Amino acid sequence: MFQIFPLTLHAIMKQNLLFLLVASCLATFTTGTMSAKKTVAPKMYMFGMAASFNDSIVHFTDIQEVDSAWIDSKNSFLLGRDSYSYQLRAHLSDALQMPHRTCIVVYNAKRDKLEKKYQKMLRLYTTPKKKESQHFDVRMLERGTFHFEAVDMSDAPDEEEAVVVNTKKAKKGKKGAEPAEQPAATAPAAATTTNE
């Protein structure tokens, strides 16, 4: 059978010390590398797509060049992705009277890679599947009618800092008598995709 050997106090202390040492090293190295810097990309290419669950109309913008777009230097994510989606959503709501659209923005620093993604998404909505008729009404938004404007993220807090601030506010709301102040409500239908 199995025989259990009792651990001595010295062995337990040694094991705990080793665990604390490894945990502190991991905490030091991960927090040091978590800070990302915002940088300005001289050119970023993007296109937008908008759809709704209420009808079969799908809007596509053309591929557009945006000057001075802000990116996260750590992972090359476009900063202010939600702002670009809101630009498209506001245009559809105001100019075309089509509110409540789910908008996405797809971006890349290289135009040829983005063109492949654009063609793939366009085929998804224009090519009928087997034994089905085309069930999407695809409408193109030309550059003359809509253009993405660069979003200035120089004064905006880092995304990591914003998350920390929101969690602190939520904790305050649980402890104190006053509820935590919530950030301004944004449209829940806006979504974005990431760079691939």
Side-chain angles (χ1 to χ4, degrees):
M1 288 256 154
F2 295 103
Q3 200 173 30
I4 300 175
F5 295 104
L7 292 174
T8 63
L9 182 61
H10 178 65
I12 293 172
M13 299 264 303
K14 197 175 187 181
Q15 187 179 13
N16 286 345
L17 182 62
L18 181 63
F19 175 75
L20 289 174
L21 180 65
V22 170
S24 64
C25 287
L26 285 175
T28 302
F29 291 124
T30 56
T31 56
T33 59
M34 292 283 276
S35 63
K37 295 181 181 176
K38 297 181 283 190
T39 58
V40 178
K43 288 184 186 177
M44 186 64 68
Y45 298 98
M46 64 179 68
F47 71 89
M49 188 205 79
S52 175
F53 294 109
N54 297 331
D55 56 30
S56 62
I57 300 172
V58 178
H59 289 90
F60 277 92
T61 67
D62 55 344
I63 295 177
Q64 301 177 10
E65 179 181 317
V66 177
D67 293 327
S68 304
W70 289 81
I71 59 170
D72 186 340
S73 61
K74 181 179 176 186
N75 52 20
S76 299
F77 276 3
L78 179 67
L79 297 175
R81 297 179 297 277
D82 55 341
S83 298
Y84 291 106
S85 293
Y86 289 137
Q87 287 179 20
L88 178 57
R89 184 176 181 169
H91 172 76
L92 292 171
S93 180
D94 297 341
L96 302 177
Q97 286 74 40
M98 294 186 153
H100 312 298
R101 297 279 157 185
T102 302
C103 300
I104 64 168
V105 172
V106 184
Y107 63 95
N108 201 314
K110 296 181 181 174
R111 186 178 177 97
D112 56 341
K113 287 186 178 182
L114 189 64
E115 284 177 356
K116 289 179 185 178
K117 176 81 87 177
Y118 182 75
Q119 292 301 324
K120 185 177 179 180
M121 287 186 72
L122 200 55
R123 263 193 314 270
L124 181 70
Y125 289 98
T126 57
T127 307
K129 299 192 186 224
K130 295 178 183 177
K131 299 179 183 178
E132 289 182 16
S133 63
Q134 182 178 356
H135 59 279
F136 291 107
D137 180 10
V138 177
R139 298 180 186 178
M140 303 301 289
L141 295 174
E142 299 300 326
R143 188 179 175 103
T145 60
F146 173 75
H147 181 68
F148 287 111
E149 297 294 326
V151 176
D152 184 17
M153 297 297 292
S154 60
D155 295 334
D158 291 337
E159 291 180 12
E160 293 172 1
E161 292 173 9
V163 170
V164 171
V165 169
N166 286 339
T167 56
K168 284 182 181 177
K169 284 183 180 180
K171 287 180 183 176
K172 265 188 189 176
K174 289 179 183 176
K175 289 180 186 176
E178 292 182 24
E181 185 177 318
Q182 296 296 321
T186 57
T192 58
T193 60
T194 59
N195 186 14
E196 291 185 9

